[in-house]
Amino acid sequence: MANISDVARTAGVSPATVSRVFNGGRVTAERAERVRKAAAELGFSPNRVARSLRMQRASVIGLLIPDIENPFFTSLARGVEDSAQRTNLSVVLCNTDEDVEKERRYLDIALAEQMAGVIVAAASRKRTDLSALTARGMPVVAVDRRPRAAAVDAVMVDNQHGGEDATAHLLERGYRRVACITGPAGASTSEDRLAGYRAAMHEAGVPDDWTRAHTRHADFRVDGGYAAMRELLALRTPPDAVFVANNLMTVGALQALREAGIEPPEFGVLSFGDVPWASLVRPPLTTVQLPSYDLGASAAALLQDRLAGSDKPLQTVVLRTVLQPRESTRGPDGAG
Amino acid sequence: MANISDVARTAGVSPATVSRVFNGGRVTAERAERVRKAAAELGFSPNRVARSLRMQRASVIGLLIPDIENPFFTSLARGVEDSAQRTNLSVVLCNTDEDVEKERRYLDIALAEQMAGVIVAAASRKRTDLSALTARGMPVVAVDRRPRAAAVDAVMVDNQHGGEDATAHLLERGYRRVACITGPAGASTSEDRLAGYRAAMHEAGVPDDWTRAHTRHADFRVDGGYAAMRELLALRTPPDAVFVANNLMTVGALQALREAGIEPPEFGVLSFGDVPWASLVRPPLTTVQLPSYDLGASAAALLQDRLAGSDKPLQTVVLRTVLQPRESTRGPDGAG
DNA sequence: TTGAAAGCGCTAACAG
DNA sequence: CTGTTAGCGCTTTCAA
């Protein structure tokens, strides 16, 4: 593999000149041409490791997501990638598996590899610790979930409002006993969506006791949704509708309903976030649609801003959700 | 950020000794202890960039996959990741989007970043070019798809056999006019599965003309499967069953069938590869099950072998598929 | 505009 | 077992 001195020698210039040609320094056109030709001839491409060492910063950003098998996050990842490509940053995808320990390891790697910055959908609100990075001046952007104590830019979804909207919609359509399956107690997304649900129920005059008794925390995965739904169905006063706080748990909940011989829209089902392969689900599901791609794109834009040296005060961008009514919440009487 | 000399100074030893402590060299217990203490005190962790530059090799491997939104590949990625973790390798995931150009860019990065090795599910059989890497001695393992000219280790699935099995199953169950939707003409997986289909049809005495007329190439995505299925249904002699060569296209095909008011098992549907969220599909789908996780794990194992210096001759590991009969191919008469 | 030279943090060869 | 030393390939002063 040819290096910068090889190129310099064949072009009859100094290594510094070659470096300038590749980094937009001032070089006369004639020399620059000679350098480019020599580089092409030798198949030279700059060694990024050496460059990173010298610059004390790599042109790679880390993207930490909690579940690579959740289409929400893969779509978010695409948003990041597309946006990053514009400034020639490459994206390293790390799957933390909702595991704070694994997440910590990846954060360490980001530091040790001198990545330019990190975008993270935190595994835990309380326990994810970004201070090691921020303390060393590495730009960090939180996306989708905001770790409690972190002083970082963030891109979020208006979870509470979305949850409130969703619940109000179910009540409007005539469901009387609306339950909620939300995520782990630690996560900001879980709690905000739950807060929205509670607010709407309270507003509708449902006693807080009832609401609390018909709330379940699960793990944002299919199995968790399944188990929670079964519990709810086994209650003395089972619900006639459910607001499920993420897409995968909705898949599980639907499964549990099917096994119990219950079908929407007689029983209302509303999912926060698009269910993967929604086209396969009958009847079509009412969902709160999340701007997953834009979430990623905005986060990357924010990060690139910081990398370019911006020292604006920290900001949080909140993206809107959109309620998409479909068959699964048509109403308990099956009318219209 | 403390560096190796800082640690050496506080521990009262030389940088070389510190390096040895962190890399398993021979150091007396007492000194090693002093070094570890100093390192902890200063919050030292070795700079991987400097190490990579010096060693001419990073402890990162690249994983190039064509579609991050396909659960088959995410599961494969998990296999790679879990296996890599055993030797402290981190995995960089790159989404090539079935785009040879994008793939080439990532391969360049792998080279420039001096990654330890690369595992690649090639975007194209003909046009994916791995020679730049192999020429520079970088270990490469092909997984799932084998670029034609590449001299690399590989982990594959017995696609042809799987396709043959699947088709034979449909014929056995009494379907008479079995069509096939396969992937892009360039991909090895497409062609091998198609070859299996053809062999089984030929064996059953179906004229090759008919078989050819009822074959469609699509792009391994949902929309492609949808369009292909619509074409097949519009034929003068429409099929009464279809063998679809990947999971996402099956989702599309099912959609097209539904729109046409056709439901399995009256019309037989068999998918090569598990359909995501299969639990949502009614009736349950017959599938050729692929060992996606093991594919990734084996590829990583092979790569680690090379990294450890193995110079065995190149090998190809072929993993078996398993036919999982379910409702969607019960037979055209709906009997049993 | 250009080149010489220093040095990013680490590991490995060598000498002790 | 330990320390000294050279250098991986690049960018960036500094002086010309």
Side-chain angles (χ1 to χ4, degrees):
Chain A
M1 191 79 181
N3 67 25
I4 202 171
S5 317
D6 298 334
V7 177
R9 210 172 311 117
T10 10
V13 301
S14 75
T17 300
V18 177
S19 172
R20 288 185 187 110
V21 169
F22 279 87
N23 295 291
R26 310 207 152 288
V27 180
T28 56
E30 186 264 336
R31 289 169 99 86
E33 190 43 47
R34 241 163 54 214
V35 167
R36 259 188 282 276
K37 201 166 136 216
E41 206 170 284
L42 299 175
F44 168 77
S45 87
N47 182 322
R48 295 162 73 115
V49 177
R51 160 187 283 198
S52 297
L53 178 60
R54 174 61 224 235
M55 311 241 291
Q56 304 283 57
R57 167 195 289 189
S59 54
V60 171
I61 65 179
L63 172 60
L64 277 64
I65 58 178
D67 183 4
I68 197 191
E69 306 203 14
N70 186 338
F72 170 77
F73 289 112
T74 55
S75 159
L76 189 155
R78 267 176 184 277
V80 170
E81 211 179 51
D82 288 353
S83 169
Q85 213 141 52
R86 280 203 297 272
T87 34
N88 273 316
L89 287 170
S90 19
V91 178
V92 171
L93 197 54
C94 309
N95 181 31
T96 63
D97 234 347
E98 304 274 11
D99 175 344
V100 181
E101 193 45 45
K102 223 167 164 181
E103 184 179 57
R104 204 185 48 64
R105 269 207 303 278
Y106 277 120
L107 290 171
D108 283 351
I109 290 179
L111 217 44
E113 294 276 7
Q114 303 187 161
M115 292 182 187
V118 165
I119 296 174
V120 54
S124 158
R125 177 145 77 143
K126 287 182 204 159
R127 294 164 54 228
T128 291
D129 182 10
L130 303 172
S131 60
L133 309 201
T134 52
R136 283 179 180 70
M138 179 176 294
V140 176
V141 176
V143 66
D144 185 50
R145 307 164 174 197
R146 183 214 303 285
R148 193 185 275 153
V152 297
D153 289 311
V155 184
M156 311 292 291
V157 154
D158 59 346
N159 287 301
Q160 171 150 5
H161 181 268
E164 204 167 333
D165 245 27
T167 310
H169 169 81
L170 284 166
L171 292 166
E172 252 165 44
R173 288 301 172 95
Y175 299 101
R176 299 291 194 72
R177 303 185 306 280
V178 179
C180 174
I181 300 177
T182 188
S188 64
T189 43
S190 300
E191 298 190 349
D192 293 348
R193 289 166 199 176
L194 177 58
Y197 161 74
R198 281 197 182 137
M201 294 293 277
H202 188 83
E203 174 107 341
V206 180
D208 291 357
D209 277 5
W210 193 96
T211 303
R212 221 178 342 261
H214 290 75
T215 296
R216 287 293 177 280
H217 286 274
D219 63 356
F220 277 147
R221 313 248 177 111
V222 176
D223 290 349
Y226 175 83
M229 191 70 242
R230 282 182 56 122
E231 275 186 45
L232 289 171
L233 290 176
L235 287 177
R236 221 157 2 135
T237 57
D240 66 353
V242 65
F243 163 52
V244 191
N246 98 326
N247 53 0
L248 300 193
M249 295 194 302
T250 302
V251 172
L254 284 170
Q255 221 168 311
L257 286 169
R258 268 210 179 113
E259 286 182 15
I262 302 171
E263 294 273 341
E266 188 210 341
F267 187 104
V269 174
L270 198 161
S271 170
F272 200 101
D274 262 330
V275 167
W277 323 117
S279 63
L280 296 179
V281 183
R282 292 291 120 138
L285 276 185
T286 299
T287 58
V288 176
Q289 296 195 304
L290 302 180
S292 49
Y293 182 93
D294 299 299
L295 224 43
S298 303
L302 227 50
L303 188 67
Q304 284 166 300
D305 224 45
R306 293 291 174 199
L307 291 177
S310 154
D311 56 353
K312 285 186 228 163
L314 291 178
Q315 58 177 303
T316 295
V317 175
V318 177
L319 302 182
R320 281 298 284 246
T321 60
V322 176
L323 182 72
Q324 182 65 254
R326 296 205 192 84
E327 287 292 300
S328 72
T329 58
R330 208 179 36 183
D333 48 357
Chain B
M1 192 79 182
N3 67 24
I4 202 170
S5 316
D6 298 335
V7 176
R9 210 172 312 116
T10 15
V13 300
S14 77
T17 300
V18 178
S19 173
R20 288 184 188 112
V21 170
F22 280 87
N23 294 292
R26 311 208 151 285
V27 180
T28 56
E30 186 263 337
R31 287 169 101 84
E33 190 43 47
R34 241 163 52 215
V35 167
R36 259 187 283 275
K37 202 166 136 217
E41 206 169 286
L42 299 174
F44 167 77
S45 86
N47 182 321
R48 294 163 74 115
V49 177
R51 162 187 280 203
S52 296
L53 179 60
R54 175 63 226 235
M55 310 241 291
Q56 304 283 56
R57 164 192 292 187
S59 53
V60 170
I61 64 179
L63 172 59
L64 277 64
I65 58 178
D67 183 5
I68 198 189
E69 306 202 16
N70 185 337
F72 170 77
F73 289 112
T74 54
S75 159
L76 188 155
R78 268 176 182 277
V80 170
E81 210 179 51
D82 288 352
S83 169
Q85 213 143 50
R86 281 202 297 272
T87 36
N88 274 316
L89 287 170
S90 18
V91 178
V92 171
L93 198 53
C94 309
N95 180 31
T96 63
D97 234 347
E98 304 273 12
D99 174 345
V100 181
E101 194 44 45
K102 220 167 165 181
E103 184 179 57
R104 204 186 48 66
R105 269 208 302 279
Y106 277 120
L107 290 171
D108 283 351
I109 290 179
L111 217 44
E113 294 275 6
Q114 304 189 157
M115 291 183 188
V118 164
I119 297 174
V120 54
S124 157
R125 177 146 77 144
K126 286 182 204 158
R127 294 165 53 228
T128 291
D129 181 9
L130 303 172
S131 61
L133 310 201
T134 52
R136 283 177 180 71
M138 180 177 293
V140 176
V141 177
V143 67
D144 186 49
R145 307 162 174 199
R146 184 215 303 284
R148 194 187 271 152
V152 299
D153 290 311
V155 185
M156 312 291 290
V157 154
D158 58 348
N159 287 300
Q160 170 150 5
H161 181 268
E164 204 166 333
D165 245 27
T167 311
H169 169 81
L170 284 166
L171 293 166
E172 252 165 44
R173 288 302 172 93
Y175 300 101
R176 298 290 195 74
R177 303 184 307 281
V178 179
C180 175
I181 301 176
T182 188
S188 65
T189 43
S190 300
E191 299 190 348
D192 293 348
R193 290 166 199 175
L194 176 58
Y197 161 74
R198 281 195 183 140
M201 294 294 276
H202 188 86
E203 174 108 341
V206 180
D208 291 355
D209 277 5
W210 192 97
T211 302
R212 218 174 348 258
H214 290 76
T215 295
R216 288 294 176 279
H217 285 273
D219 62 358
F220 277 148
R221 313 248 177 112
V222 176
D223 291 349
Y226 175 84
M229 191 70 242
R230 283 181 55 121
E231 275 186 45
L232 288 171
L233 290 177
L235 288 178
R236 222 161 358 140
T237 57
D240 65 353
V242 64
F243 162 54
V244 191
N246 99 326
N247 55 358
L248 300 192
M249 295 194 302
T250 302
V251 172
L254 283 170
Q255 222 168 310
L257 286 169
R258 265 207 182 117
E259 286 183 16
I262 302 171
E263 294 273 340
E266 187 210 343
F267 187 104
V269 174
L270 198 161
S271 170
F272 200 101
D274 262 330
V275 167
W277 323 118
S279 63
L280 297 179
V281 183
R282 293 290 120 137
L285 278 184
T286 298
T287 58
V288 175
Q289 296 196 302
L290 302 180
S292 49
Y293 181 93
D294 300 298
L295 225 43
S298 302
L302 226 49
L303 188 67
Q304 284 167 300
D305 225 45
R306 293 291 173 201
L307 291 177
S310 154
D311 56 352
K312 286 186 228 165
L314 291 177
Q315 58 177 304
T316 294
V317 176
V318 177
L319 302 182
R320 282 299 283 246
T321 61
V322 176
L323 182 72
Q324 183 65 253
R326 296 205 191 85
E327 287 291 299
S328 73
T329 58
R330 208 179 36 184
D333 47 358

